[in-house]
Amino acid sequence: MEAALRQSPFLVLLLLCLWACSGPVTFPQPPERIASGQTKAPPDAPLVIVSDRLTRGHPGQTGVYPVTSAHNALAVRLAVIRAARSSIDIQYFIFRHDETGLLLTRELLRAAERGVRVRFLLDDFTTGDAGKLLLALQRHPNIQIRLFNPFPHRGPRTLELLADFRRLHRRMHNKSFTADGRVTFIGGRNLSNKYFGFDSKEHFGDLDLIAIGAVVPEITRQFDIYWNSHYSFPVQSVIHERLDPERQRQFSAELLRKAEKFLASDYGRSLLNSPVIKTLSHNANLWYWGPAHALFDPPRKVAQPPGTEGGFAGSELMRRITGARRQLIIISPYLLPGEHYLQQLIAAAERGVEVYILTNSLASSDVIFVHGAYRKYRRPLLEAGVRLYELSSALKYKLDSWHGESRSLLHAKLFAVDGQWLYVGSFNLDQRSILLNTELGLMIKSPQLTEMVSKNLIANVHKNAYQLLLRNNRIVWRRSDGAELHREPDTNWLQRMGSRLSGWLPLESLL
């Protein structure tokens, strides 16, 4: 899960106490709502024309294109919003009131003004600073917003979490963005500056798949299931703040002014000039084609006892991962597999599977408690022959980070199995994704794409990450120049001590 649930040590300790003494989970009843489903775009809609042309030679298959550049990830979303004619369905864990959030808000309002129906489903854990944006969007008759598993919004967020921890720490982690039922984005990115390369302090290296073809109806179906579920509330029934007409006018003017200023910047102009969508729209050979399906948890997962694993999307994904016969590549920013899946990974390595794992280093981690819990997995993985890498925080993304000093953090979630199957989505290899949160991803059988991903990781990981090795029964970190470091790279003693001490606490089930 994102860092929001993992930041304060005092909060985590208090939550642990609450976990032990809280009673059964009780979910509030949503107000009366009108159920809705996917609408059909007209045959002359640009996205219909393009997707029909590209998929014509690939009946029953899904076409995907990986977007690794944060800058391109925002550019393609803007292009798709502007091309939409019927519907836009958005489902995310985080949406921020920052430059990229303001720009997306403006573009969604413009889409609504030309008759596009916008449905925006947002998990309520981090809505705080985006409340005004959500209310501004909700005022338009063509825009509907719902919050998943909402907070009461009657007091400080921390106190509300403490008062109903068993319910409120179970979140919707799904991320999807679908237009006209023809084009969808699936991956790990949320909607904020940090995920689009425009934050001065941190940059999350992430991955999206643009998808067209057979899998898109599955993504729209899962959106409808969540949208109409017992756990999704209209935003106006949750956030009771109202802007008077004058304040609303001022806020709308501010939104327009800031969005225009952002677009006038070098970053903003480059968004409008991005060639990605134009190029992909005209050449089906740039897409990777194959059978695919959406892996998603049902909304009711957040109401199940924490130990309930069977029947959820993570079970199918983990069966695919642990069933590897030749090669297994795992990219997961949070690596807390638990004892069962640790043994499965060790067994795979011991039967000759090449296992590569890339995760965050202490320097690139955004949550010291997660790194502390992860520490105990390193030695058994290395002893089994797993190739374990940790991202360097000094990595500079030339096209992504428009603030050269921003710290690089890994946020992508990817699993490649036997050079055949590739998963990209919201699922981390940790107990929160497996047991607590709902998740969404796309699994595609594409030897060409999977092999490309595998080769790129193996070829480039040495330049961008430290390889962990055992030397005289001690862990060392090998740099790209061959030098070996004997303590956590790019960290100070306080970070190292914090990680070590946090690793002694029994918090992994909450992380």
Side-chain angles (χ1 to χ4, degrees):
M1 186 177 174
E2 320 299 339
L5 276 175
R6 298 161 160 160
Q7 290 187 349
S8 167
F10 303 105
L11 177 60
V12 173
L13 288 173
L14 188 52
L15 293 181
L16 182 62
C17 297
L18 288 168
W19 177 262
C21 64
S22 296
V25 181
T26 301
F27 286 83
Q29 287 291 332
E32 287 192 21
R33 304 156 300 159
I34 298 175
S36 63
Q38 182 60 41
T39 61
K40 188 174 182 179
D44 61 347
L47 295 177
V48 173
I49 294 172
V50 169
S51 62
D52 282 349
R53 183 175 69 247
L54 293 172
T55 58
R56 191 170 296 123
H58 305 275
Q61 292 191 316
T62 294
V64 300
Y65 185 84
V67 181
T68 57
S69 161
H71 171 266
N72 284 338
L74 182 56
V76 292
R77 282 170 170 81
L78 294 177
V80 166
I81 291 173
R82 293 174 177 180
R85 293 296 179 267
S86 175
S87 65
I88 298 174
D89 290 334
I90 305 172
Q91 178 183 22
Y92 279 91
F93 179 65
I94 292 175
F95 174 57
R96 295 294 192 199
H97 185 166
D98 54 18
E99 286 86 352
T100 56
L102 288 168
L103 181 57
L104 287 167
T105 298
R106 189 195 79 153
E107 294 300 325
L108 291 172
L109 284 168
R110 287 189 167 185
E113 287 167 2
R114 64 175 184 266
V116 177
R117 185 196 68 179
V118 178
R119 296 186 296 175
F120 196 159
L121 178 60
L122 183 64
D123 186 272
D124 192 34
F125 195 82
T126 60
T127 53
D129 69 343
K132 286 185 178 180
L133 291 184
L134 298 176
L135 292 173
L137 285 167
Q138 177 67 29
R139 286 174 59 88
H140 198 287
N142 286 336
I143 299 179
Q144 304 168 55
I145 299 176
R146 292 183 180 177
L147 300 178
F148 189 89
N149 194 16
F151 280 64
H153 286 263
R154 296 190 181 93
R157 181 61 60 99
T158 300
L159 293 181
E160 291 184 343
L161 177 61
L162 295 177
D164 196 4
F165 176 65
R166 280 212 167 183
R167 173 175 74 89
L168 293 175
H169 88 122
R170 306 290 291 272
R171 308 312 316 175
M172 180 191 74
H173 199 227
N174 309 35
K175 301 168 180 74
S176 69
F177 193 117
T178 306
D180 285 353
R182 292 305 188 101
V183 178
T184 192
F185 301 91
I186 298 294
R189 280 191 181 88
N190 289 292
L191 304 181
S192 82
N193 286 353
K194 291 182 180 182
Y195 299 89
F196 294 124
F198 200 74
D199 187 84
S200 60
K201 295 181 179 179
E202 294 180 334
H203 171 75
F204 285 105
D206 221 316
L207 173 65
D208 289 314
L209 292 181
I210 310 177
I212 56 176
V215 82
V216 180
E218 292 185 46
I219 304 298
T220 60
R221 181 172 66 87
Q222 77 84 35
F223 181 92
D224 288 344
I225 290 171
Y226 274 81
W227 181 260
N228 297 312
S229 77
H230 176 85
Y231 311 99
S232 298
F233 287 58
V235 66
Q236 64 270 28
S237 72
V238 178
I239 300 178
H240 303 290
E241 178 185 2
R242 294 292 180 267
L243 299 179
D244 61 49
E246 177 58 22
R247 289 177 64 202
Q248 178 64 41
R249 186 194 64 77
Q250 292 175 356
F251 181 73
S252 298
E254 178 192 14
L255 187 155
L256 180 61
R257 177 176 56 80
K258 289 185 175 179
E260 292 292 347
K261 181 180 179 180
F262 184 46
L263 283 176
S265 67
D266 290 342
Y267 181 99
R269 287 193 298 270
S270 68
L271 291 173
L272 302 180
N273 296 326
S274 173
V276 177
I277 279 290
K278 184 177 180 180
T279 303
L280 292 178
S281 298
H282 291 89
N283 190 349
N285 293 326
L286 294 177
W287 297 77
Y288 296 88
W289 299 92
H293 65 287
L295 286 179
F296 63 92
D297 293 311
R300 61 177 172 80
K301 181 182 177 184
V302 297
Q304 300 298 307
T308 305
E309 182 179 347
F312 298 136
S315 300
E316 180 178 347
L317 176 59
M318 295 308 294
R319 283 195 298 272
R320 179 77 64 181
I321 292 170
T322 57
R325 292 291 177 265
R326 180 171 61 85
Q327 185 186 74
L328 175 61
I329 292 177
I330 297 172
I331 300 178
S332 180
Y334 308 123
L335 187 67
L336 304 173
E339 184 62 27
H340 173 70
Y341 288 117
L342 170 65
Q343 295 306 320
Q344 294 289 312
L345 292 173
I346 290 173
E350 289 178 344
R351 68 173 179 265
V353 178
E354 293 182 347
V355 181
Y356 296 84
I357 299 178
L358 173 64
T359 191
N360 276 307
S361 64
L362 176 56
S364 67
S365 176
D366 56 342
V367 190
I368 198 169
F369 275 84
V370 173
H371 190 273
Y374 149 72
R375 287 167 52 94
K376 70 175 179 289
Y377 293 107
R378 297 191 296 203
R379 182 176 296 276
L381 289 172
L382 292 172
E383 289 174 343
V386 172
R387 295 170 174 87
L388 180 61
Y389 299 86
E390 295 179 355
L391 185 76
S392 167
S393 66
L395 179 64
K396 296 295 187 295
Y397 296 84
K398 294 181 181 179
L399 294 178
D400 286 357
S401 179
W402 289 70
H403 298 277
E405 299 305 314
S406 59
R407 185 168 65 111
S408 301
L409 295 86
L410 178 68
H411 196 261
K413 304 97 164 56
L414 176 148
F415 303 88
V417 182
D418 290 340
Q420 298 287 316
W421 289 94
L422 184 74
Y423 170 93
V424 173
S426 67
F427 188 95
N428 294 297
L429 186 48
D430 67 3
Q431 297 302 291
R432 179 161 286 280
S433 284
I434 295 170
L435 300 175
L436 299 175
N437 291 344
T438 68
E439 307 288 352
L440 165 67
L442 187 152
M443 179 78 78
I444 183 168
K445 186 177 184 181
S446 172
Q448 183 184 11
L449 175 59
T450 307
E451 199 66 27
M452 183 268 289
V453 167
S454 303
K455 287 181 178 179
N456 283 349
L457 175 75
I458 295 169
N460 296 319
V461 72
H462 296 285
K463 294 184 292 185
N464 301 327
Y466 301 98
Q467 183 178 8
L468 276 66
L469 302 167
L470 287 176
R471 293 282 189 258
N472 299 320
N473 204 34
R474 293 178 61 113
I475 295 175
V476 299
W477 290 259
R478 176 186 286 170
R479 291 192 319 211
S480 58
D481 61 4
E484 293 184 355
L485 309 177
H486 295 269
R487 63 185 182 186
E488 309 269 2
D490 307 316
T491 61
N492 56 45
W493 70 269
L494 189 60
Q495 290 171 298
R496 295 190 292 273
M497 181 62 69
S499 175
R500 182 179 295 275
L501 291 177
S502 66
W504 297 343
L505 300 174
L507 299 176
E508 184 174 339
S509 63
L510 299 179
L511 299 173

